[in-house]
């Protein structure tokens, strides 16, 4: 694994602690990112189905295909950090080169809202995972699910089932 991947894994595993420590380590390593960061989580649509593709190979395909992307196998998902100088307005278009693979391998991708700092990576990964869980219920069959699109439904769901939702519904992928 390269230095950037190790750094991102350490953040996801919460090994660096407080945001100040994350930023200190980032400066120490000389790693910089453009100002708009997105976490992408790729996983099987049906997590119990057999894999049709090696996730390591797919992570390499994601990294080779998407500009400004660092992707790797993380636990039972492919995690990607996309960094861009400008906000990505249309993820359907941005991910278009990967859509045939998503369909062929029956994968789905969840996308976080834009983050301004790598210190928010864990939260962004969680948000991308939630986009898959909630989006798959609202739009079954859709290969690309963006967190921002489902925040309204998440608020409604939380209010409707106050208190019992976490145990019944939410499962953290990262």
């Amino acid at each position: 694994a390269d230095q950037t991947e190790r750094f991102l894994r350490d953040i996801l595993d919460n090994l660096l602690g407080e945001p100040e420590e994350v930023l200190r380590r980032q400066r120490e390593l000389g790693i910089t990112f453009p100002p708009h960061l997105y976490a992408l989580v790729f996983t099987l649509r049906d997590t119990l189905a057999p894999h049709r593709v090696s996730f390591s190979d797919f992570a390499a395909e994601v990294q080779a295909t998407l500009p400004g992307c660092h992707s790797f196998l993380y636990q039972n998902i492919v995690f990607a950090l996309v960094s861009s100088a400008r906000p990505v307005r249309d993820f359907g278009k941005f991910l278009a080169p990967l859509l045939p693979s998503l369909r062929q391998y029956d994968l789905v991708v969840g996308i976080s809202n834009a983050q301004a700092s790598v210190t928010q990576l864990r939260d962004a990964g969680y948000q991308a995972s939630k986009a898959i869980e909630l989006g798959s219920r609202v739009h079954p069959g859709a290969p690309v699910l963006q967190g921002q699109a489902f925040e309204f439904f998440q608020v409604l769901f939380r209010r409707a089932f106050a208190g019992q939702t976490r145990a019944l519904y939410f499962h953290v992928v990262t």
Side-chain angles (χ1 to χ4, degrees):
D2 73 0
Q3 175 174 288
T4 301
E5 181 182 325
R6 277 194 305 274
F7 173 64
L8 297 175
R9 284 179 181 281
D10 287 351
I11 295 169
L12 292 173
D13 290 337
N14 205 25
L15 297 178
L16 298 178
E18 295 301 313
E20 298 76 24
E21 181 61 23
V22 171
L23 295 174
R24 186 193 64 72
R25 183 77 177 131
Q26 182 179 3
R27 280 190 305 275
E28 204 174 80
L29 295 170
I31 297 171
T32 59
F33 297 103
H36 302 281
L37 304 173
Y38 302 87
L40 280 65
V41 169
F42 295 86
T43 191
L44 294 170
R45 181 175 306 287
D46 176 358
T47 55
L48 300 178
H51 287 215
R52 297 185 194 172
V53 63
S54 152
F55 271 14
S56 295
D57 291 347
F58 185 71
E61 179 183 345
V62 169
Q63 184 147 328
T65 305
L66 300 180
C69 178
H70 298 278
S71 76
F72 49 90
L73 181 62
Y74 180 75
Q75 296 179 0
N76 59 340
I77 62 166
V78 171
F79 183 88
L81 174 68
V82 170
S83 54
S84 175
R86 294 192 186 128
V88 178
R89 300 270 183 231
D90 184 351
F91 264 100
K93 185 176 177 182
F94 184 78
L95 295 170
L98 288 173
L99 288 179
S101 294
L102 291 176
R103 289 188 180 102
Q104 179 182 354
Y105 306 132
D106 202 24
L107 300 174
V108 63
V109 58
I111 305 160
S112 74
N113 294 337
Q115 307 298 321
S117 170
V118 75
T119 60
Q120 299 161 319
L121 190 62
R122 281 177 55 85
D123 289 341
Y126 180 78
Q127 189 179 69
S129 299
K130 294 293 132 229
I132 292 172
E133 291 179 30
L134 197 52
S136 294
R137 287 164 174 74
V138 178
H139 295 294
V144 178
L145 302 162
Q146 200 163 353
Q148 196 171 21
F150 303 106
E151 286 175 353
F152 173 74
F153 294 104
Q154 192 168 1
V155 169
L156 284 180
F157 192 86
R158 279 188 185 155
R159 286 190 180 156
F161 297 96
Q164 51 193 341
T165 30
R166 283 231 184 269
L168 292 174
Y169 184 75
F170 293 117
H171 166 73
V172 180
V173 174
T174 53

